Amino acid sequence: MPLGVYVQLLASGLSTGSIYALVGLGLMLAFKGTGVLNFAQGELVTLGAYTALFLSLTTSLPYWAIFILTILVAGVVGIVFERLLVRPLMRAPEFTVVVATLAVGLMIKDALRIAWQESVSSIPSPFADVSVRFGDISINAQYLWVTFCALAIMGMLALFFNNNLAGKAMRAVAQNQTAARLMGIRVNRVFSATFALSSAIAALAGILIAPIHGIEPEMGNVLMKGFVAAVLGGFNSLVGCVIAAFMLGVIETFGGAFFGGLFKDVTAFALLILVLLVRPNGLFGSAEARRV
Amino acid sequence: MLEVSHLTAGYARTDVLFDISVRIDAGGFVGVLGSNGAGKTTLLRSISGLTRVSGGAVLFDGKSVNGLAAEAIVDFGLIHVPQGRMLFPDLTIEENLQLGSYRSGARSVYSANLKRVEHYFPILSQRKTQRAGVLSGGEQQMLAIGRALMAEPRLLILDEPSLGLAPRIIDDIFDVLTHINAEGVTILVAEQNAMKVLEHARFVYVLENGRISHSGPSEELARSEAIQKSYLGLA
């Protein structure tokens, strides 16, 4: 195969990995902040994509306006999600909360299926039909845009958690809620903010993936890949999650190209099992990251 | 400054404290002495809003704080150093101190308070960038007190600061508390360590089975036969 094909596969793999990274980051964020493993995270991706689709069908707003508006709507969705589902179950066993999020995810998926009749749609993106040329090699600009967004979100989250008092307060709440309250931190507000942020990141993934894979009710299944990336990355490290997601995306894409599409999922989970056999805390995790 | 009157409190349907009345004037250094399970922690948690009060009143500056959330009570400058320190183990020492000054009234005096903490606990400034989880027990207690000082406390309440620490460190910590008190911070400390409480606090309440059994100025209690027998191990 010519070199150009390898580069194109790499770009495509990185953009696929970027989507996994965004899903994984959203999952990790909610887990770090509130201890809830949100199995509806995939449907928050779907919901974001459909919000963008709805806006592009009913208004004549440009891509950027739809982009920003969708993320804001998703933030509100996250707050409502936390208020109606997570907070009332905060004292319930963790397993109950996980099953409840799974149930809500299924409800969202089926509601969209009823409303949209399983047809695949898309939203226009200014990057989708543009190619960036490097010498003889041309790469779809949407791939680069998606990868850029994932890296930007990772960078912003890292800055937020390490250099911002609100970010530190979020980490404090995750580590000891009682102590956080004794510092005057409003734990409920931190929970709302965590889910707003997590849902906004999911919606971003939805908008970005739409021009590549289309919008359909099953797109939330990307949750499993995001989860694999987060676990591979150690479930504690933002950078670890993104690197693992990139690896996953690239290996999958090459695996698919060489051995056929069916091998995509096999490679993802084979990689997960292999890594966890050798490093039970993930590639970048540390033992102390375990919840006590 | 703080007035607890006829307080009844506990968990679920079981009360642990009965008809407790405690009073602390501004600038005071008051001790609550009691053995394991006497109700010291519940008393402190009722004052700081972590435990629901089922009867009686807690007044801070004459205003009732009953029913207020713990995170709101903090804004009055009533700062609680909880039992077991409750640090944020994965955050650095510096970040723990920054969160101490999270409350709105403390942010503007951050640097002054940081200087004060570094003056009392120089070891903390040497290890600023290390995670709180790797500190020794004594250092963790220092950080817990340092974090509370960052909150610009008017009333500092501490739950068993001596727990699990070596005698020399306990001495250091109580000396610091005495200095802090001399700077004008009112202090309420709950302890099992009768020696230290009677030495440093000026007024002491003795808690037994959820009730106040004795109270009085420290010198007076230290001479009382009942206290000597039960808490000081003297015949």
Side-chain angles (χ1 to χ4, degrees), chain A residues 168 171 175 179 181-182 186, chain B residues 71 88-91 98:
Chain A
K168 289 174 191 176
R171 286 162 66 204
Q175 288 174 39
R181 293 178 63 199
L182 291 177
R186 268 62 178 173
Chain B
E71 50 270 46
F88 305 114
D90 285 338
L91 298 185
Q98 284 168 356

Side-chain angles (χ1 to χ4, degrees), chain B residues 14 19 27 48 82 86 96 99 114 116 127 145 164 203 227:
Chain B
T14 320
D19 196 30
S48 67
M86 292 198 188
N96 270 276
L99 286 165
L114 189 63
R116 174 159 74 148
R127 309 186 61 177
I145 296 173
F203 196 94
I227 300 297

Side-chain angles (χ1 to χ4, degrees), chain A residues 190-244:
Chain A
V190 170
F191 275 23
S192 291
T194 305
F195 271 89
L197 200 57
S198 174
S199 170
I201 293 174
L204 175 66
I207 305 171
L208 292 174
I209 200 178
I212 302 174
H213 293 289
I215 300 173
E216 39 106 14
E218 297 291 331
M219 66 194 290
N221 296 346
V222 70
L223 167 83
M224 283 323 289
K225 298 294 179 58
F227 186 60
V228 170
V231 172
L232 280 176
F235 228 95
N236 190 39
S237 153
L238 299 171
V239 179
C241 171
V242 173
I243 293 178

